[in-house]
Amino acid sequence: MKIGIIGLGLIGGSMAIDLKRRGFADSLTGVEADSVNAAAAQKIGLVDRVVSIEECVRECELIVLAVPVGSAVRMLPEILDMFRAEENTVGVCRKTVLDVCSTKEQLAKTVHYHPMRTHYVATHPMAGTEYSGPWAAMSGLFDGRACIICDQEESAPSSVHLAEKLYGCLNMRMIYMNSAGHDVHTAYVSHISHITSFALALTVLDKEKNEKHIFDLASGGFSSTVRLAKSNADMWVPIFSQNRENLLKVIDTYMEKMSAFRAAIDGFDEDGIRTLIEDANRIKRIIR
Amino acid sequence: MKIGIIGLGLIGGSMAIDLKRRGFADSLTGVEADSVNAAAAQKIGLVDRVVSIEECVRECELIVLAVPVGSAVRMLPEILDMFRAEENTVGVCRKTVLDVCSTKEQLAKTVHYHPMRTHYVATHPMAGTEYSGPWAAMSGLFDGRACIICDQEESAPSSVHLAEKLYGCLNMRMIYMNSAGHDVHTAYVSHISHITSFALALTVLDKEKNEKHIFDLASGGFSSTVRLAKSNADMWVPIFSQNRENLLKVIDTYMEKMSAFRAAIDGFDEDGIRTLIEDANRIKRIIR
């Protein structure tokens, strides 16, 4: 199958590697707006060719939109417009486009009434690292992780099936929910983690003017807790922005929990600290 | 050398394994107040014998106090009292005791005027996992990590040298600072990370009544950020309690950073969100 990948960063690049290696893609065409990243992707050999978005959509049967969600909201209707033009010219369009973004509701609203809506599948492969760009792409990134497919009843069954085959090749488990539910859940199990990591990094950087000491004393615990603070602004600004309402609620709950810790420590309340810790320990049942 | 380890949990047990395996300890005597842990430590073979604290102090040249810091504050003067009794009886005591606790200032104050103070070395091997108990003990836990030695001028040079040899055998890098400085630094690079993880766990557990979804959707990022929330209350309650003043300052700075994120997201201020993220990204220079 001819696959086009728009955006050759960590996610698009990692997909390219395994879709080619595992025989799902006969040919891989890439689109990359950033000239440095485009040159790197070609040098690394992530895709066969880097072309314009028009050429990519014209040539490929399945298009993966792997750009930050701010750009995806702009580009997805343009791609569906190209599908429409093809249908108007040739009489039929059998193409599918899927996105891989971390927020879903705004994208869903943007194309809800588009005449080619059924050609789009909203997906979120829940995998990543704190690194970005084509040089961060790696084989096996998606293996064993969860992939969420949103609003599947709004997509053509054949397009959903194609998306499932693609993620099956990447060894992902499929989960189905609607866009609104997706955005609530990811606010809690992904987006808030990034904000707490960024805030932790800012706190420590603010205090520790002697950076040597941070490095010397940083335990494994600190490193794992602050790891996500290396994450890329281009990706996360639009996510926080688009998931604003859910995130504000999560942040408020989180601040209440921090305040409870502060009050217990401030009040010499060792029983109170113990209760908070033991309640938090229940996470053991859920996260290995 | 005859080594005694009081407290056969993650830290004491892991030390036991490598001190024996690497030939530093000719014999290893353990003390463990919890009968289940004591039986487990013997079954696993962490130490040669489990004895009373009196017998351990009488028999061993070097005693490692590896109990939660609340217990250490009580037990350290008792051990120094036993050293004193030996000196009074035999005429000389050449024994050394070191602790491995995560807060140092209160311990330092507790024994500051003790006549046997020079026999005590305040140390903090900065290694651990989120697990506890003798079954969590593992070889290699300390390899390559930092060990802080506090207030070394208050210890006899021979005792400091012995502590350095022990941590050298565990492949640790030594860092020297005073107790007060230690407690400020660890508040920033270790203790606050635990509080933010506990708060994150409480936030998600509070919201997600359907636990299946947390498990399904938890990305690697969430798991690493929340990992420390599995940590043991017996260890962390006294740490938070003893490092109260430093922690309150760190929590306040941290809450300011969270509030800055909240305000930027609430105010649709994408430039503000970007600035916060890019400032936080400076942590890349420090943490690999």
Side-chain angles (χ1 to χ4, degrees):
Chain A
M1 176 175 289
K2 289 185 175 180
I3 312 250
I5 297 183
I6 301 174
L8 298 170
L10 169 68
I11 299 297
S14 298
M15 278 195 175
I17 292 171
D18 281 339
L19 292 177
K20 192 67 175 276
R21 185 176 289 186
R22 297 174 187 178
F24 189 87
D26 300 315
S27 86
L28 267 176
T29 307
V31 177
E32 175 53 62
D34 182 284
S35 61
V36 175
N37 285 10
Q42 282 192 294
K43 185 160 182 174
I44 296 167
L46 292 179
V47 290
D48 300 318
R49 291 186 308 136
V50 175
V51 300
S52 69
I53 186 167
E54 290 77 12
E55 191 174 341
C56 176
V57 172
R58 191 166 57 239
E59 287 187 4
C60 296
E61 302 158 70
L62 174 58
I63 292 127
V64 177
L65 186 57
V67 296
V69 66
S71 308
V73 165
R74 183 174 47 74
M75 294 169 78
L76 179 61
E78 293 172 4
I79 294 165
L80 293 179
D81 289 348
M82 293 180 212
F83 286 4
R84 182 112 208 250
E86 181 172 312
E87 190 172 69
N88 289 343
T89 313
V90 193
V92 65
C93 170
R94 294 219 169 78
K95 294 179 173 176
T96 294
V97 58
L98 55 87
D99 81 301
V100 298
C101 294
S102 302
T103 51
K104 285 280 167 277
E105 205 172 1
Q106 194 166 329
L107 267 172
K109 284 180 182 163
T110 303
V111 296
H112 186 66
Y113 295 108
H114 196 289
M116 302 299 275
R117 169 65 183 86
T118 58
H119 292 246
Y120 160 59
V121 188
T123 75
H124 179 196
M126 296 203 57
T129 73
E130 65 274 34
Y131 304 108
S132 54
W135 35 81
M138 54 192 277
S139 177
L141 181 68
F142 306 99
D143 289 347
R145 314 308 298 269
C147 178
I148 305 173
I149 296 187
C150 292
D151 308 324
Q152 61 164 328
E153 67 288 353
E154 297 193 25
S155 306
S158 59
S159 289
V160 173
H161 184 63
L162 194 54
E164 289 165 340
K165 273 177 65 180
L166 180 142
Y167 288 115
C169 165
L170 298 177
N171 294 328
M172 302 196 85
R173 301 177 273 124
M174 247 58 76
I175 296 170
Y176 302 85
M177 59 177 73
N178 66 36
S179 303
H182 168 279
D183 285 7
V184 172
H185 279 94
T186 51
Y188 280 87
V189 298
S190 164
H191 305 171
I192 184 70
S193 302
H194 286 79
I195 296 182
T196 64
S197 280
F198 288 131
L200 184 61
L202 289 169
T203 302
V204 176
L205 289 165
D206 230 34
K207 176 67 179 183
E208 296 268 355
K209 303 304 177 191
N210 182 349
E211 293 181 357
K212 178 80 167 56
H213 272 308
I214 300 184
F215 185 75
D216 280 342
L217 302 189
S219 58
F222 176 71
S223 299
S224 83
T225 315
V226 86
R227 178 173 73 81
L228 300 179
K230 300 177 189 172
S231 301
N232 183 258
D234 290 339
M235 171 168 176
W236 286 95
V237 170
I239 291 173
F240 294 162
S241 180
Q242 291 198 13
N243 209 9
R244 175 179 172 276
E245 284 175 41
N246 291 318
L247 265 173
L248 290 176
K249 281 182 209 157
V250 189
I251 291 173
D252 288 342
T253 305
Y254 181 82
M255 300 276 270
E256 283 167 23
K257 303 300 179 190
M258 285 299 297
S259 297
F261 263 104
R262 193 197 185 287
I265 293 168
D266 190 34
F268 302 93
D269 177 11
E270 294 205 351
D271 290 342
I273 301 173
R274 175 173 294 276
T275 301
L276 288 166
I277 292 178
E278 289 176 350
D279 280 353
N281 284 165
R282 287 179 295 137
I283 202 78
K284 283 183 201 174
R285 289 187 290 121
I286 297 160
I287 304 291
R288 278 157 306 190
Chain B
M1 176 174 289
K2 289 185 177 179
I3 312 249
I5 298 183
I6 301 173
L8 298 171
L10 170 68
I11 298 297
S14 298
M15 278 196 174
I17 292 170
D18 282 339
L19 293 177
K20 193 67 177 279
R21 186 177 287 184
R22 296 173 187 178
F24 190 87
D26 300 315
S27 85
L28 267 176
T29 307
V31 176
E32 175 54 61
D34 182 283
S35 61
V36 175
N37 285 10
Q42 284 193 293
K43 184 159 184 175
I44 296 167
L46 292 179
V47 290
D48 301 318
R49 290 187 308 136
V50 176
V51 300
S52 69
I53 184 166
E54 290 76 13
E55 190 175 340
C56 177
V57 172
R58 190 165 58 238
E59 288 186 3
C60 297
E61 304 159 70
L62 175 58
I63 292 127
V64 176
L65 186 57
V67 296
V69 67
S71 309
V73 165
R74 183 172 48 75
M75 294 169 79
L76 180 61
E78 292 171 4
I79 294 166
L80 293 180
D81 289 348
M82 293 181 215
F83 286 3
R84 183 112 206 253
E86 181 172 315
E87 192 171 69
N88 289 342
T89 313
V90 193
V92 64
C93 171
R94 293 219 168 77
K95 295 181 172 175
T96 294
V97 58
L98 55 86
D99 80 301
V100 299
C101 294
S102 301
T103 51
K104 284 281 168 275
E105 203 171 3
Q106 193 168 329
L107 267 173
K109 284 179 181 164
T110 302
V111 296
H112 186 65
Y113 296 109
H114 196 288
M116 303 299 276
R117 170 65 183 86
T118 58
H119 293 247
Y120 161 58
V121 188
T123 75
H124 180 196
M126 296 202 58
T129 73
E130 65 274 35
Y131 304 107
S132 55
W135 36 81
M138 53 191 277
S139 176
L141 182 68
F142 305 100
D143 289 348
R145 315 308 300 270
C147 178
I148 306 175
I149 296 188
C150 291
D151 309 325
Q152 60 163 329
E153 66 289 351
E154 298 192 25
S155 306
S158 59
S159 289
V160 174
H161 184 62
L162 193 54
E164 288 166 341
K165 272 177 66 182
L166 180 142
Y167 288 115
C169 164
L170 297 176
N171 294 327
M172 302 197 83
R173 303 177 273 120
M174 248 57 76
I175 297 170
Y176 302 85
M177 61 177 72
N178 65 36
S179 303
H182 168 278
D183 285 6
V184 172
H185 279 93
T186 51
Y188 280 87
V189 298
S190 165
H191 306 171
I192 184 71
S193 302
H194 286 78
I195 295 181
T196 63
S197 280
F198 288 130
L200 184 61
L202 289 169
T203 301
V204 176
L205 288 165
D206 229 33
K207 178 67 180 180
E208 296 268 354
K209 303 304 177 193
N210 183 349
E211 293 181 356
K212 179 76 168 57
H213 272 309
I214 299 183
F215 185 77
D216 280 343
L217 301 187
S219 58
F222 176 71
S223 299
S224 82
T225 316
V226 86
R227 179 171 72 82
L228 300 180
K230 299 177 190 170
S231 301
N232 182 258
D234 290 337
M235 170 168 177
W236 286 96
V237 170
I239 292 174
F240 294 162
S241 179
Q242 292 198 11
N243 209 8
R244 176 178 171 275
E245 284 177 40
N246 292 317
L247 265 173
L248 290 175
K249 282 182 207 156
V250 189
I251 291 173
D252 288 343
T253 306
Y254 181 81
M255 299 277 270
E256 283 168 23
K257 304 300 179 189
M258 284 299 297
S259 297
F261 262 102
R262 194 198 185 286
I265 292 168
D266 190 35
F268 302 93
D269 178 10
E270 294 205 352
D271 290 341
I273 301 173
R274 175 173 294 277
T275 302
L276 287 166
I277 292 178
E278 289 176 350
D279 280 353
N281 285 163
R282 289 179 294 137
I283 202 79
K284 282 183 201 173
R285 289 187 289 120
I286 297 161
I287 304 290
R288 280 156 302 191

